[in-house]
Amino acid sequence: MHDQATALRKMAIQKNPAHKGSLRVIAVTSGKGGVGKTNFTVNIALALIDMGYRVIILDGDLGLANVDIACGVTPHFTLEHLLSGEKTIEEILVYGPKGLGILPGGSGVQDLANIERANLENVIRNLGRLEGLTDILIIDTGAGLGHTVTNFLKAADDIILLTTPEPTALTDAYGMLKALSSDDPEDPEDPEDKKIKVNVVVNRVAQETDARLTFERLENAVHKFLHGSVSLLGWVYEDPSVGKAIMNQEPLAIAYPTSSAYRCIQWIAGSVSGLYLAPPRKAAGIRGFLTQLLRR
């Protein structure tokens, strides 16, 4: 495991020694709850930190915000305090294992997705400082197909869609893809507005074959009914260590770094790192993210 992490870190640093360039925003979604989205988000963030990246997670789940719980930290302020002007970005940021930054969302997440123009200058000034604080901003979106979720997904640079082999999870993942493909067509006047690219991760699989079959079912449905495409980013094996880590309120990366599930996540992090080193579209930074969000 240590050899693998070292090799991934060296590869990332060799290709991009100073991690220069605009901050990139990646959104993790699932279409439904209960598929392990938050656990995956926290652990891939920690794997990316091991590769030399600075990472901050924005907890985007309105009703069940639990990134802080998964990391064993207690935030005192949320994004709502930033939007109201009471606190700065530095004051609401809390730090977890390995220096992982966490932006507690609360009800402020919905306010950010529907931000009032009067508050825009203050928000841009504060969120703009994220450029100097992190290399990657990961949004742990809420479950479901609400506008807040889809707005964040469409504004992000990359999307990771987490699902499991269960038929209900697969159906909900398809529903999310359908919402993304039909709700907002491309803007012909914007040359940078390209088709949304979705990277799929299949969680809780017994073997590789299960993951590939699950992805093929989803891919065939997307191709046939949505006339689109998705990419298989990777899979995570079913592992009892995941449940133990959750019960202890400790990330898998810290509690069981040699577990089969975390090794899968490290491998996926290596692929994600490659995405950021050769992105499908130019990173526009936090201002670009807000611009896309406001356009929605």
Side-chain angles (χ1 to χ4, degrees):
M1 191 258 333
H2 294 294
D3 290 342
Q4 182 188 32
T6 301
L8 289 173
R9 189 182 304 113
K10 286 182 178 178
M11 179 184 70
I13 294 173
Q14 186 177 38
K15 291 184 178 180
N16 190 13
H19 303 303
K20 292 179 179 178
S22 296
L23 173 154
R24 286 194 67 80
V25 180
I26 181 168
V28 181
T29 189
S30 62
K32 64 163 283 187
V35 300
K37 175 176 55 63
T38 296
N39 180 66
F40 173 82
T41 300
V42 168
N43 284 289
I44 197 171
L46 293 173
L48 286 166
I49 287 174
D50 279 342
M51 294 174 62
Y53 289 91
R54 298 171 301 166
V55 184
I56 290 176
I57 296 176
L58 168 60
D59 194 342
D61 197 325
L62 288 176
L64 298 170
N66 53 10
V67 169
D68 54 326
I69 296 174
C71 293
V73 299
T74 305
H76 298 289
F77 307 107
T78 69
L79 196 61
E80 194 172 9
H81 294 92
L82 172 69
L83 297 179
S84 68
E86 297 176 59
K87 299 294 178 181
T88 65
I89 193 75
E90 291 85 358
E91 289 174 315
I92 68 170
L93 256 177
V94 292
Y95 290 92
K98 299 187 179 184
L100 171 63
I102 301 170
L103 279 173
S107 59
V109 172
Q110 187 163 339
D111 295 335
L112 177 61
N114 303 284
I115 190 170
E116 295 182 8
R117 300 282 171 168
N119 297 333
L120 183 59
E121 184 177 345
N122 175 58
V123 171
I124 288 180
R125 183 170 59 252
N126 270 278
L127 292 183
R129 293 206 289 275
L130 285 174
E131 296 277 3
L133 296 173
T134 190
D135 303 306
I136 301 172
L137 175 67
I138 302 179
I139 302 175
D140 180 27
T141 68
L145 305 178
H147 287 300
T148 300
V149 174
T150 55
N151 283 346
F152 275 123
L153 293 176
K154 290 172 181 177
D157 295 307
D158 294 291
I159 299 171
I160 294 179
L161 173 63
L162 198 72
T163 188
T164 69
E166 295 177 7
T168 53
L170 208 53
T171 299
D172 288 329
Y174 173 79
M176 173 61 76
L177 292 167
K178 184 177 180 180
L180 286 172
S181 65
S182 62
D183 187 46
D184 188 33
E186 293 181 59
D187 183 355
E189 297 182 2
D190 185 357
E192 291 294 324
D193 192 10
K194 298 181 174 58
K195 253 191 170 180
I196 297 169
K197 183 178 180 181
V198 179
N199 304 283
V200 177
V201 171
V202 187
N203 196 23
R204 298 173 185 162
V205 299
Q207 53 189 353
E208 178 182 338
T209 305
D210 296 336
R212 294 196 179 277
L213 287 174
T214 299
F215 173 74
E216 285 175 12
R217 294 190 189 101
L218 182 61
E219 183 184 37
N220 289 338
V222 170
H223 180 72
K224 182 177 181 180
F225 299 109
L226 303 181
H227 308 291
S229 62
V230 288
S231 301
L232 179 61
L233 185 59
W235 54 86
V236 181
Y237 292 123
E238 182 73 62
D239 189 335
S241 299
V242 175
K244 294 177 184 177
I246 291 173
M247 288 300 295
N248 293 330
Q249 293 186 19
E250 194 173 17
L252 189 67
I254 305 299
Y256 302 100
T258 61
S259 62
S260 60
Y262 187 60
R263 285 180 177 178
C264 288
I265 293 173
Q266 285 181 308
W267 162 59
I268 294 169
S271 298
V272 169
S273 176
L275 286 175
Y276 291 106
L277 294 169
R281 64 181 183 183
K282 184 179 179 182
I286 198 68
R287 288 177 180 270
F289 169 71
L290 286 172
T291 300
Q292 289 292 329
L293 193 61
L294 289 168
R295 287 180 55 204
R296 305 298 168 189

